[in-house]
């Protein structure tokens, strides 16, 4: 007599999963195990990457000259900054310029600086953008990007 093991019942290797996983409960337990393993794995990598990303924040102050008031420049600045994941603020000045501060990842700050210098709001006309007090920071002092 031959002993009855799952391996003896395998007629082709394609039916192997059917033999090993005989019930829906076993299948659901296996899926749950895989999901939990992947969750722990992704959380581990998210935690190990976070400190590096946090150390690579840049902050700068800016002043934009030209036709930048009365053309929805602040509204578009806020929208652009938020789409780039930046925090900070923007406001008009009595002398007709727009000033502000921004904080975010270095690559996103480069995009924001380009937007402030060349693009602006659809009806604005930028003469120049002056960036000052550029520095690296560990964390943003701002919670959001605000129009002042």
């Amino acid at each position: 007599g031959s002993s009855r093991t799952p391996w003896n019942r395998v007629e082709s290797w394609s039916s192997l999963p059917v033999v090993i996983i005989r019930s829906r409960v076993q299948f659901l337990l296996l899926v749950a195990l895989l999901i939990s393993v992947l969750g722990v794995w992704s959380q581990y990598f998210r935690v190990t990457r976070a400190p590096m990303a946090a150390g690579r924040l840049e902050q700068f102050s800016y002043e934009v000259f030209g036709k930048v008031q009365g053309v929805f420049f602040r509204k578009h600045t806020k929208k652009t900054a938020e789409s780039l994941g930046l925090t900070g603020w923007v406001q008009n000045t009595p002398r007709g310029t727009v000033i502000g501060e921004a904080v975010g990842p270095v690559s996103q700050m480069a995009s924001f600086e380009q937007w402030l210098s060349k693009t602006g709001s659809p009806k604005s006309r930028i003469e120049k953008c002056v960036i000052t007090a550029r520095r690296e920071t560990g964390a943003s002092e701002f919670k959001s990007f605000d129009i002042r």
Side-chain angles (χ1 to χ4, degrees), residues 133-147:
R134 187 188 306 264
R135 59 204 173 277
E136 192 170 301
T137 183
S140 177
E141 62 191 87
F142 309 107
K143 300 284 182 241
S144 58
F145 199 96
D146 302 314
I147 296 174

Side-chain angles (χ1 to χ4, degrees), residues 5-135:
T5 66
W7 306 110
N8 291 343
R9 294 196 322 231
V10 174
E11 294 173 16
S12 73
W13 286 105
S14 64
S15 65
L16 184 60
V18 176
V19 173
I20 293 173
I21 303 171
R22 285 190 298 247
S23 73
R24 288 187 183 134
V25 173
Q26 285 177 323
F27 175 74
L28 292 173
L29 287 172
L30 184 63
V31 168
L33 176 68
L34 284 171
I35 289 171
S36 65
V37 166
L38 289 174
V40 168
W41 180 75
S42 66
Q43 183 128 12
Y44 168 77
F45 282 99
R46 194 172 18 247
V47 167
T48 56
R49 278 198 312 262
M52 287 187 280
R56 296 284 299 149
L57 292 180
E58 180 180 44
Q59 180 167 353
F60 62 61
S61 301
Y62 57 89
E63 184 167 13
V64 186
F65 297 81
K67 184 170 175 45
V68 293
Q69 289 189 9
V71 291
F72 300 99
F73 192 87
R74 292 176 300 157
K75 175 187 164 192
H76 285 274
T77 300
K78 176 181 171 68
K79 184 177 151 200
T80 301
E82 288 174 340
S83 75
L84 292 169
L86 309 181
T87 59
W89 56 271
V90 59
Q91 77 177 38
N92 286 337
T93 68
R95 60 188 174 280
T97 64
V98 169
I99 61 170
E101 277 191 75
V103 182
V106 175
S107 61
Q108 304 299 76
M109 291 293 281
S111 298
F112 187 58
E113 182 177 355
Q114 180 72 20
W115 186 89
L116 289 170
S117 301
K118 305 284 184 219
T119 308
S121 67
K123 294 184 177 185
S124 66
R125 195 183 77 250
I126 300 165
E127 290 173 12
K128 68 177 177 177
C129 176
V130 177
I131 303 293
T132 56
R134 187 188 306 264
R135 59 204 173 277

Side-chain angles (χ1 to χ4, degrees), residues 1-4 8:
S2 65
S3 62
R4 298 291 294 171
N8 291 343

